[in-house]
């Protein structure tokens, strides 16, 4: 019987994940379909019911996106170490009617960075202190990087830095701090507000690599500014691709067909332009 996978979130109809996963299923000859599960957050029973009815609906696994990455944790039987440590699940596997939670966001971000740079001793600035910043900040620190956080709400950056032994920085100090890598994890610059950027070229002089984890638009204003400053850039699509490959590997226990998923992702991005 055909296995069902999908993405749980709200709003989620713009998701790029169905294109990548359905292309992977097809190329690997897997009898499965990846759907969109847009769950209305106005009633908290909706997420609970979705989780309780996974067997009934033949759901073998699913991705989780905003606003459910934390809330979904209460329906998990077990978590992987990263999901437990950072308190966020983006991947669920249904094993013998038990839901297990994983986090592939951080590994996705790290693999995207490693396409352009090393990260073990680098001085890295993360913009934002939300769920993605937590996962990425913790993982980069584990790699040995020197990680700094800047966040609009200062108390949250202080809290995050304290929890994972990171540093904080004031906005006015960023330009002179000699960062090797800058990563934006805030939604600033996301469509429809695509002209905005937290940093401008003059604040990124000497920075080697700038990654924006936003996927819409593909080239954000921050990345345009980074190019002006002479930095290499990495789009949110690279992180999205690698986190999706991590999900495929959890669900099927084998390497993901990355080229197939990459082609499907970029075709979908062109269609959504
Ligand atoms: P989150 O937990 O809501 O955190 C958002 C962060 O952005 C907070 O630190 C918030 O600061 C900051 N922020 C929000 N609006 C801001 C503004 N106008 N100016 C300055 N800072 C602002 O969200 P998240 O789960 O970390 O996700 C963040 C982004 O990453 C989303 O756009 C999401 O789509 C994207 N994402 C991409 C991928 C990928 O694979 N490419 C994966 C995961 C997430 P305050 O603390 O001050 O509110």
């Amino acid at each position: 019987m055909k296995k069902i996978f999908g993405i749980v979130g709200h709003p989620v109809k713009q998701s790029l994940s169905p294109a990548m996963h359905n292309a992977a299923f097809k190329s690997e000859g897997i009898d499965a379909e990846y759907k969109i599960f847009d769950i209305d957050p106005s009633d908290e029973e909706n997420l609970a019911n979705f989780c309780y009815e996974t067997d009934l609906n033949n759901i073998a696994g699913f991705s989780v996106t905003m606003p459910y990455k934390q809330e979904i944790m209460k329906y998990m039987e077990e978590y992987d170490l990263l999901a437990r440590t950072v308190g966020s699940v983006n991947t669920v596997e249904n094993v013998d009617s038990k839901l297990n939670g994983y986090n592939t966001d951080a590994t996705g971000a790290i693999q995207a960075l490693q396409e352009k740079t090393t990260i073990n001793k680098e001085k890295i600035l993360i913009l934002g202190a939300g769920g993605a910043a937590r996962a990425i900040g913790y993982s980069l620190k584990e790699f040995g990087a020197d990680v700094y956080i800047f966040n609009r709400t200062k108390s949250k950056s202080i809290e995050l830095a304290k929890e994972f032994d990171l540093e904080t920085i004031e906005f006015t100090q960023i330009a002179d701090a000699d960062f090797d890598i800058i990563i934006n994890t805030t939604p600033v610059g996301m469509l429809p507000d695509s002209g905005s950027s937290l940093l401008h070229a003059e604040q990124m002089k000497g920075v080697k690599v700038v990654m924006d984890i936003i996927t819409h638009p593909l080239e954000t204003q921050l990345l345009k500014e980074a190019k002006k400053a002479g930095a290499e850039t990495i789009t949110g699509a690279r992180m999205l691709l690698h986190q999706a490959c991590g999900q495929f590997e959890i669900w099927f226990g084998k390497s993901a067909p990355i080229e197939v998923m990459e082609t499907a992702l970029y075709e979908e991005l062109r269609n959504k332009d």
Side-chain angles (χ1 to χ4, degrees):
M1 195 158 135
K2 182 184 268 193
K3 287 183 176 175
I4 303 298
F5 293 84
I7 181 160
V8 167
H10 181 83
V12 79
K13 67 175 191 299
Q14 286 298 316
S15 174
L16 300 160
S17 296
M20 282 188 286
H21 285 295
N22 283 322
F25 297 163
K26 195 172 168 198
S27 88
E28 294 293 296
I30 296 169
D31 187 17
E33 184 182 352
Y34 188 99
K35 298 181 171 182
I36 282 181
F37 301 115
D38 194 324
I39 296 186
D40 181 355
S42 61
D43 182 351
E44 67 180 46
E45 294 282 295
N46 291 343
L47 185 65
N49 289 339
F50 175 84
C51 289
Y52 297 141
E53 289 170 5
T54 44
D55 280 349
L56 196 67
N57 294 315
N58 209 26
I59 294 171
F62 53 94
S63 315
V64 184
T65 188
M66 291 201 300
Y68 296 123
K69 286 184 182 180
Q70 283 79 37
E71 199 185 336
I72 199 84
M73 293 186 80
K74 57 182 177 225
Y75 307 107
M76 299 296 107
E77 197 80 23
E78 287 174 24
Y79 318 109
D80 71 353
L81 178 65
L82 181 61
R84 190 171 340 122
T85 308
V86 302
S88 164
V89 161
N90 80 326
T91 309
V92 177
E93 186 185 23
N94 180 357
V95 185
D96 301 330
S97 306
K98 295 193 171 77
L99 300 182
N100 295 333
Y102 302 83
N103 186 308
T104 68
D105 279 336
T107 43
I110 282 170
Q111 285 165 355
L113 284 166
Q114 286 174 327
E115 290 179 338
K116 295 261 170 95
T117 177
T118 54
I119 49 177
N120 43 339
K121 294 267 180 268
E122 275 64 12
K123 185 173 179 183
I124 304 180
L125 171 64
I126 297 179
L127 302 169
R134 279 178 69 77
I136 296 171
Y138 166 79
S139 300
L140 288 172
K141 178 77 183 181
E142 289 287 289
F143 265 79
D146 192 9
V147 182
Y148 287 69
I149 306 287
F150 166 75
N151 190 49
R152 175 179 65 177
T153 308
K154 197 173 168 184
S155 57
K156 286 197 198 162
S157 48
I158 293 171
E159 220 170 277
L160 172 56
K162 203 167 152 199
E163 193 177 349
F164 296 139
D165 196 19
L166 315 177
E167 308 287 334
T168 59
I169 188 164
E170 298 292 333
F171 189 74
T172 51
Q173 296 172 334
I174 291 174
D176 298 321
D178 288 331
F179 286 111
D180 298 303
I181 299 171
I182 295 178
I183 304 167
N184 177 45
T185 71
T186 79
V188 178
M190 190 158 75
L191 282 171
D193 192 17
S194 60
S196 305
S197 173
L198 281 182
L199 299 179
H200 298 283
E202 58 276 16
Q203 293 156 296
M204 294 188 274
K205 278 185 196 143
V207 176
K208 290 189 214 122
V209 174
V210 177
M211 176 162 88
D212 199 331
I213 73 167
I214 287 173
T215 48
H216 300 91
L218 195 52
E219 187 177 56
T220 59
Q221 187 61 31
L222 176 80
L223 296 185
K224 288 180 186 163
E225 296 286 332
K227 276 185 181 165
K228 275 191 232 163
E232 286 239 52
T233 59
I234 304 173
T235 68
R238 301 311 300 171
M239 172 174 166
L240 189 73
L241 172 66
H242 287 293
Q243 65 79 33
C245 289
Q247 296 183 319
F248 183 96
E249 283 158 26
I250 288 166
W251 293 329
F252 301 104
K254 59 177 178 175
S255 297
I258 186 163
E259 288 87 4
V260 170
M261 293 171 80
E262 183 176 19
T263 304
L265 171 62
Y266 286 98
E267 199 176 300
E268 190 70 1
L269 280 164
R270 274 193 300 277
N271 291 341
K272 286 195 193 294
D273 263 354

